[in-house]
Amino acid sequence: MIASKHPIVDSKKCEALCTCGHEHQTPAMEILSSEEAYAVLAQDCALACTEKPALLIDDENTHTAAGARIAELLEDNSVPFRLVKLPGDSVSTDELADRIFNYSSGSGLIIAVGGGTMTDLGKFVAEKREVPFWSVPTAPSMNGYTSSIVAIKINGVKKTLPSLPPRYIYVDPKVIRNSPLRLRQAGFCDVLAKSVSDRDWQAESLLFSGTYCALPSAIASEAESGYINDPEKILQGDRQAVMGLFEGLLFSGVAMSLAGSSAPASGGEHLISHFLDMREAITGIKPNLHGLQVGTGIVLSAACYRRLADLEAKDLKPAAAEAFEADAARIPYIWEDLAPEVEKQFLNKRDRLLKFDTRLPENWDELKNIFAKVRTPDFFLDLFHRVGLDMKLSSLDIPEEEFLLGAMSARMIRDRITVLDLSAHTGILEEAARETLEMLS
Ligand SMILES: [Zn+2]
Ligand SMILES: [Zn+2]
């Protein structure tokens, strides 16, 4: 029997889990996880590419893992296609995306073979070309496979833009299982981000947007038992545990699609990673894997939340205007040529930040209930250790002063309100950053 694709989420179930009453777009995404997945992909391609060729995007590493095999199968099925094989250390930038876009002229379908970078580039180009996008994940390294956003550096600034998720996802479990340990570790950190980012979103929603819904988090937690109970098994490459992690990442991406934004899975902890990515332009320091950088951000967010939960409404001082001006004044020194872009982002949330003076004290008791739900930094560090990460900044090639600068300034690079803004306003950010630095040294 030929294996067949199935929808990744059930819309009936989503309706039942929704707490906000708004309509959620259930993404029209189908997945096939089977050893025959690539063969089915080639057959589907033969049907889809009768008029225009497909464009297959991979890199040196994912070509070996899966791309070469897929290209072979496409040839066997007489599918017209072109292949773009990128260097192994490619990064998703507007410059590279433009080059692939030009190359994709005349293509009727984009297929990306790989992890974060390949998926982002594929989605971005397909969206711009207005052609379907299919994904072939090669590692449980991040949660972007199923999300409706792309993360891309535009003029040096890391942005997340809306984008259609893939229509079809083809998974060969063997490829996922054999992915390098470092990628599995990165994915493990990325999937845990939701434990803090969902709280960021809940707090932001209470203060301003009112957009919070428990559905995305419920969906994102769907496969949690598969990876959180025995992280050691991910380290060992146990089939069930690695596929559990992969599923967790897929659901985490679906959660973002359902929310219509990255809010459920990307908060202050992700800003730390984006900060380090962007700083490469100034320091020349090559960023580490997305998920590993996010892992350091998770520890910081947890440290912030613990301190916030200890504050009382009477401890809150009106300091919004000064805090904003003081930070804004530092932007040119931190960002040099990138300063105008960063200033734009920070200015976008100025009005909301100024309202902290009144809204935080008014809502503090309710906020504290949210803060108290976050696990301790030690809880996360223990999980990271058990998956084989020592989580030392030195092992991650993140200089201490860069981490500290990121902790203190990452809130400026994005107009989303996160725990980093709450912490800066209440004056606990620096202590939390220093405590985190100690834990990661
Ligand atoms: Zn809802
Ligand atoms: Zn992420």
Side-chain angles (χ1 to χ4, degrees), residues 142-143 190 193 265 270 290 294:
M142 50 94 229
N143 62 8
D190 203 29
H270 267 70
H290 167 80
V294 166

Side-chain angles (χ1 to χ4, degrees), residues 57 84 86-87 89-103 117-118 121 124-125 152-153:
I57 309 171
V84 182
L86 297 166
D89 58 355
S90 298
V91 183
S92 60
T93 60
D94 46 353
E95 212 189 336
L96 182 54
D98 282 346
R99 271 179 23 223
I100 301 172
F101 177 77
N102 291 335
Y103 197 73
T117 303
M118 296 306 113
L121 289 168
F124 187 79
V125 172
I152 189 160
K153 257 197 216 174

Side-chain angles (χ1 to χ4, degrees), residues 58-289:
D58 64 13
D59 69 25
E60 288 158 341
N61 304 322
T62 64
H63 187 78
T64 312
R69 172 87 188 114
I70 290 169
E72 224 176 79
L73 287 162
L74 292 178
E75 270 166 26
D76 292 350
N77 282 270
S78 313
V79 178
F81 74 99
R82 281 177 294 177
L83 171 70
V84 182
K85 188 160 91 176
L86 297 166
D89 58 355
S90 298
V91 183
S92 60
T93 60
D94 46 353
E95 212 189 336
L96 182 54
D98 282 346
R99 271 179 23 223
I100 301 172
F101 177 77
N102 291 335
Y103 197 73
S104 71
S105 168
S107 303
L109 166 70
I110 310 279
I111 305 168
V113 182
T117 303
M118 296 306 113
T119 308
D120 282 328
L121 289 168
K123 267 190 209 169
F124 187 79
V125 172
E127 179 93 13
K128 218 167 144 192
R129 268 277 161 235
E130 297 180 356
V131 297
F133 170 62
W134 297 357
S135 159
V136 181
T138 50
S141 52
M142 50 94 229
N143 62 8
Y145 296 118
T146 45
S147 73
S148 51
I149 48 162
V150 279
I152 189 160
K153 257 197 216 174
I154 296 179
N155 297 327
V157 176
K158 191 95 177 183
K159 297 235 164 109
T160 46
L161 307 173
S163 166
L164 278 179
R167 178 72 182 91
Y168 298 131
I169 302 174
Y170 299 89
V171 184
D172 181 340
K174 217 169 47 261
V175 172
I176 302 294
R177 209 164 66 236
N178 293 335
S179 59
L181 173 61
R182 205 73 179 150
L183 296 180
R184 286 181 259 144
Q185 290 170 323
F188 184 66
C189 294
D190 203 29
V191 85
L192 289 176
K194 69 176 164 57
S195 337
V196 281
S197 57
D198 198 62
R199 300 287 84 81
D200 283 25
W201 181 26
Q202 211 174 354
E204 182 282 326
S205 172
L206 176 67
L207 289 167
F208 301 109
S209 69
T211 53
Y212 185 76
C213 175
L215 162 69
S217 153
I219 292 290
S221 305
E222 194 92 319
E224 198 166 70
S225 58
Y227 56 85
I228 213 165
N229 295 336
D230 289 306
E232 294 83 0
K233 289 192 174 165
I234 296 171
L235 171 65
Q236 292 151 6
D238 173 80
R239 178 196 156 97
Q240 228 180 334
V242 175
M243 287 314 283
L245 168 63
F246 181 64
E247 252 179 66
L249 288 162
L250 293 180
F251 284 125
S252 169
V254 169
M256 293 192 267
S257 291
L258 288 169
S261 92
S262 63
S266 169
E269 79 297 331
H270 267 70
L271 292 184
I272 298 300
S273 177
H274 298 334
F275 173 92
L276 295 168
D277 290 349
M278 280 168 58
R279 282 280 290 177
E280 183 187 6
I282 289 151
T283 61
I285 300 168
K286 243 181 120 42
N288 210 315
L289 291 171

